[in-house]
């Protein structure tokens, strides 16, 4: 009978996971724009394409020091331990060695206590074991869920790397943008101070009214007022960068030394094809893996609908001081044992268990929908960032020409005002326009850089460079090992993580539950 049960234990109930379908465009709408390539692979260390050593250093520091990323790494460690628990459930679930020495005193006034000995010692020593056979695949489905959960935690960690590198780059671009806007503001202050001096001189000589002086002063003070506002944004961006690096505020000042210019985007950008997003983006893989894990949990819940088959056994020694021969615990006569199969069929709870299956299936369907939505959002993010990058490049050309023309307008207006051929309003308008155009050009340059950062984030770039690197800092590993025996769970990846499937989507799927079948 045991042989038959063991042979049949290969059955598994519940649906098999197959990859969900998700709609994607065949190509990006701006794939043929100048500077955009779909032929080559996306650069994994994309931030290096800006050619900014400071940015390279910041990304590397963030990878080593960012605290939310360390949390994501520790979730992988947790998932490893959880998978080990689920794997162990496939083997005898109860393995207990026991022993006891009990002093027994029986009341003389209690009913039905006609014992020869009312005071004696009782000794026991033995071993209990219980093994619920995985007849319906409940525990194997649990291992499937745990494996998918572990790989999903790895994908979440990789997604954290993608987001972190993008956020560091975006914040760095923001810092450099504020610095350039402040510099432009200071340059315009000097220019407007010179114009004010001309207006004051002409007023003192009676060549114009005090209105020119008042207008020049208004524009000058207005420009000065913008600088503290920009400095607020600069300081807040620096604080945000400090937090991304896992450092207290003010810790990044030395790191930001060097040329204060907005990073220049490369002339050529590789975006690949839409289908590559599914293979590259960790959050898409994560959404699929969480669905795969939930699919396996349907099988775990469905297995509860069927009878469970358990083999139990107990063996040991028992002796008592109530009688001289039985006092020897280690004699052959003290041996006792019990062994046999057991069947449990919770048919009275069938409605509750059936609804448990429905709960798991509803959760599975939610995750399938979430996967499709994740794919659609991924495609949208790429398309949005790509059109922002392409159009900002076009705007930059016009912006440079506009600034050049505005600078010439200021030069001409000042000369004509000094000669008395135009009123100060012409100078005022020209200088105001110059400041606006310069600021707009800086914002456009910044937009190109941030759009490129968003594009590489949407394409899922940045996690590959950390493959093979520790997911938990060495100091944290030592702290955890002093507190708990972790074995190699903290430092060594599990076999599932090192397989090719760990960096690619598993075989997809959402078939409906079928009768038990032999896998």
């Amino acid at each position: 009978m045991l042989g038959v049960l063991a042979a049949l234990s290969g059955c598994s109930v519940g649906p098999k996971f197959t990859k969900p379908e998700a709609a994607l465009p065949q190509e990006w709408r701006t794939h043929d724009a100048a500077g955009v390539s779909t032929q080559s692979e996306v650069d994994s260390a994309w931030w290096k394409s800006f050619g900014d050593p400071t940015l390279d250093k910041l990304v590397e520091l963030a990878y080593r020091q960012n605290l939310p990323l360390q949390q994501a790494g520790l979730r992988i460690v947790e998932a490893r331990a959880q998978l080990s628990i689920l794997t162990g459930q496939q083997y005898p679930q109860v393995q207990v060695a026991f022993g006891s020495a009990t002093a027994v005193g029986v009341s003389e006034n209690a009913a039905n206590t006609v014992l020869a000995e009312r005071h004696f010692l009782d000794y026991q020593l033995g071993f209990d074991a219980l093994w619920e056979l995985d007849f319906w695949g409940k525990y194997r489905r649990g291992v499937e869920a745990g494996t998918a959960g572990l790989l999903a935690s790895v994908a979440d960690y990789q997604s954290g790397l993608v987001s972190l590198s993008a956020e560091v780059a975006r914040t760095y671009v923001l810092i450099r943008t504020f610095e350039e806007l402040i510099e432009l503001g200071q340059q315009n202050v000097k220019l407007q101070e010179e114009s004010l001096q001309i207006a004051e001189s002409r007023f003192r000589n009676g060549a114009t009214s005090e209105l020119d002086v008042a207008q020049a002063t208004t524009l000058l003070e207005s420009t000065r007022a913008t600088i503290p506002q920009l400095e607020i944004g600069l300081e807040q961006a620096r604080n945000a960068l400090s937090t991304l690096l896992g450092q207290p505020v003010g810790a990044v000042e030395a790191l930001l030394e060097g040329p204060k210019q907005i990073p220049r985007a490369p002339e050529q950008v590789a975006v690949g094809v839409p289908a590559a997003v599914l293979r590259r983006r960790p959050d898409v893989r994560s959404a699929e893996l969480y669905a795969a894990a939930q699919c396996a949990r349907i099988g775990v819940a469905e297995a509860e609908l069927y009878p469970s088959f358990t083999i139990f056994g107990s063996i040991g020694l028992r002796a008592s001081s109530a009688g001289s021969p039985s006092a020897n615990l280690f004699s052959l006569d003290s041996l006792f044992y019990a062994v046999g199969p057991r069947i449990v069929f919770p048919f009275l709870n069938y409605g509750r268990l059936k609804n448990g299956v429905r709960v798991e299936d509803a959760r599975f369907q939610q995750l399938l929908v979430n996967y499709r939505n994740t794919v659609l959002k991924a495609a949208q993010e790429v398309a949005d960032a790509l059109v922002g990058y392409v159009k900002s490049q076009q705007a930059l050309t016009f912006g440079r020409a506009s600034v050049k023309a505005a600078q010439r307008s200021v030069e001409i207006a000042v000369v004509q005002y000094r000669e008395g051929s135009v009123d100060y309003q012409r100078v005022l308008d020209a200088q105001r326009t110059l400041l606006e155009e310069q600021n707009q050009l800086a914002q456009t340059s910044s937009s190109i850089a941030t759009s490129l950062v968003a594009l590489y984030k949407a394409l899922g770039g940045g996690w590959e460079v950390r493959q093979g690197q520790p997911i938990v800092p060495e100091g944290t590993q030592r702290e955890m090992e002093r507190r708990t025996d972790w074995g190699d769970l903290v430092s060594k990846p599990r076999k599932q993580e090192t397989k090719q499937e760990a960096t690619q989507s598993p075989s997809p799927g959402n078939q409906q539950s079928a009768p038990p079948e032999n896998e």
Side-chain angles (χ1 to χ4, degrees):
M1 178 178 179
L2 296 180
V4 173
L5 291 176
L8 293 177
S9 63
C11 297
S12 291
V13 297
K16 288 185 178 180
F17 183 75
T18 54
K19 188 168 186 174
E21 298 275 332
L24 272 178
Q26 295 298 314
E27 58 186 20
W28 309 114
R29 293 188 61 183
T30 50
H31 69 283
D32 56 349
V36 177
S37 169
T38 58
Q39 302 303 316
S40 59
E41 288 292 330
V42 179
D43 186 7
S44 57
W46 54 264
W47 53 90
K48 295 183 181 294
S49 64
F50 286 102
D52 192 321
T54 300
L55 177 58
D56 298 344
K57 183 187 299 184
L58 291 172
V59 172
E60 181 59 31
L61 287 173
Y63 277 176
R64 294 204 306 264
Q65 300 173 173
N66 180 259
L67 298 181
L69 185 63
Q70 292 180 25
Q71 285 183 295
L74 290 168
R75 292 189 189 101
I76 296 178
V77 175
E78 177 187 349
R80 290 172 183 171
Q82 185 63 38
L83 177 58
S84 297
I85 293 173
L86 294 169
T87 302
Q89 288 180 343
Q90 297 178 102
Y91 305 100
Q93 292 84 20
V94 176
Q95 304 168 65
V96 178
F98 62 87
S100 67
T102 307
V104 180
V106 180
S107 171
E108 297 183 7
N109 296 327
N112 300 319
T113 54
V114 288
L115 299 177
E117 298 286 345
R118 294 186 177 276
H119 304 280
F120 59 90
L121 298 176
D122 187 72
Y123 307 95
Q124 287 192 71
L125 188 65
F127 178 79
D128 282 347
L130 185 145
W131 184 14
E132 180 184 344
L133 300 178
D134 199 12
F135 189 82
W136 307 110
K138 176 172 67 174
Y139 297 117
R140 288 195 301 281
R141 291 297 192 192
V143 172
E144 287 180 25
T147 302
L150 172 59
L151 297 181
S153 69
V154 173
D156 286 341
Y157 178 80
Q158 294 170 347
S159 183
L161 289 169
V162 172
S163 297
L164 177 60
S165 57
E167 189 61 20
V168 169
R170 189 196 67 81
T171 305
Y172 177 70
V173 170
L174 186 62
I175 289 172
R176 293 310 191 199
T177 301
F178 276 123
E179 289 174 342
E180 184 161 329
L181 291 173
I182 290 171
E183 177 65 23
L184 289 173
Q186 292 170 343
Q187 291 175 5
N188 277 273
V189 164
K190 292 179 181 179
L191 181 64
Q192 292 165 15
E193 285 175 341
E194 293 173 0
S195 298
L196 175 61
Q197 291 174 1
I198 295 173
E200 289 175 336
S201 176
R202 286 174 57 80
F203 173 64
R204 286 194 300 269
N205 295 326
T208 186
S209 68
E210 188 181 358
L211 177 61
D212 290 358
V213 176
Q215 289 179 321
T217 302
T218 299
L219 179 60
L220 173 61
E221 297 305 326
S222 175
T223 303
R224 285 173 173 168
T226 62
I227 294 177
Q229 297 298 321
L230 294 171
E231 289 173 340
I232 292 173
L234 174 60
E235 191 64 23
Q236 290 175 343
R238 287 173 176 171
N239 293 342
L241 183 60
S242 296
T243 301
L244 288 171
L245 299 184
Q247 298 295 315
V249 294
V252 298
E253 301 301 323
L255 296 174
L256 294 174
E257 294 179 354
K260 297 181 179 181
Q261 59 184 18
I262 300 172
R264 293 180 178 272
E267 295 182 358
Q268 189 77 13
V269 177
V271 297
V273 296
V277 173
L278 294 182
R279 296 189 300 269
R280 185 178 177 86
R281 278 189 60 141
D283 60 331
V284 173
R285 294 200 307 276
S286 174
E288 183 178 337
L289 287 163
Y290 279 121
Q294 185 58 35
C295 182
R297 294 188 187 100
I298 297 175
V300 174
E302 190 168 334
E304 298 289 347
L305 296 171
Y306 304 102
S308 63
F309 301 92
T310 303
I311 300 173
F312 68 92
S314 180
I315 187 170
L317 300 169
R318 182 173 183 177
S320 173
S321 63
S324 54
S326 63
N328 185 0
L329 177 64
F330 297 101
S331 69
L332 189 59
D333 292 337
S334 299
L335 178 67
F336 73 90
Y337 65 89
V339 63
R342 182 173 65 185
I343 300 176
V344 176
F345 186 18
F347 63 93
L348 294 178
N349 295 330
Y350 200 81
R352 175 174 59 83
L353 297 176
K354 189 69 174 179
N355 281 305
V357 177
R358 292 165 178 161
V359 167
E360 300 299 340
D361 186 63
R363 291 173 178 170
F364 174 54
Q365 192 61 41
Q366 293 173 44
L367 291 172
L368 290 179
V369 174
N370 178 69
Y371 169 79
R372 297 187 182 101
N373 188 55
T374 301
V375 172
L376 289 177
K377 288 177 65 177
Q380 178 193 342
E381 289 170 6
V382 174
D384 289 349
L386 189 55
V387 72
Y389 173 75
V390 170
K391 296 303 180 183
S392 294
Q393 288 276 27
Q394 296 174 359
L396 183 66
T397 302
F398 302 125
R400 286 171 176 165
S402 178
V403 168
K404 186 176 180 180
Q407 289 172 334
R408 181 59 180 158
S409 297
V410 170
E411 293 171 1
I412 295 173
V414 171
V415 170
Q416 291 180 342
Y417 177 70
R418 183 183 289 114
E419 295 174 349
S421 58
V422 297
D423 61 15
Y424 193 76
Q425 185 63 44
R426 188 70 61 86
V427 176
L428 195 69
D429 292 341
Q431 290 183 338
R432 185 183 294 114
T433 300
L434 174 61
L435 179 58
E436 292 173 353
E437 293 301 321
Q438 287 178 329
N439 287 346
Q440 185 60 44
L441 181 61
Q443 293 287 2
T444 301
S445 299
S446 178
S447 179
I448 292 173
T450 54
S451 292
L452 185 58
V453 170
L455 176 59
Y456 279 122
K457 178 184 178 182
L459 293 170
W463 59 267
E464 300 93 332
V465 297
R466 293 293 295 175
Q467 284 186 291
Q469 299 295 317
I471 60 171
V472 177
E474 292 183 3
T476 303
Q477 290 186 31
R478 289 192 295 268
E479 179 184 349
M480 295 175 68
E481 288 164 357
R482 284 196 301 267
R483 187 170 59 241
T484 303
D485 179 13
W486 278 95
D488 62 357
L489 285 177
V490 177
S491 58
K492 185 178 179 181
R494 301 298 89 183
K495 179 174 63 176
Q496 295 85 348
E497 299 172 49
T498 59
K499 289 182 179 180
Q500 186 68 16
E501 288 79 7
T503 55
Q504 293 182 354
S505 296
S507 65
N510 59 341
Q511 293 179 356
Q512 295 300 318
S513 177
E517 55 182 291
N518 204 323
E519 290 189 326

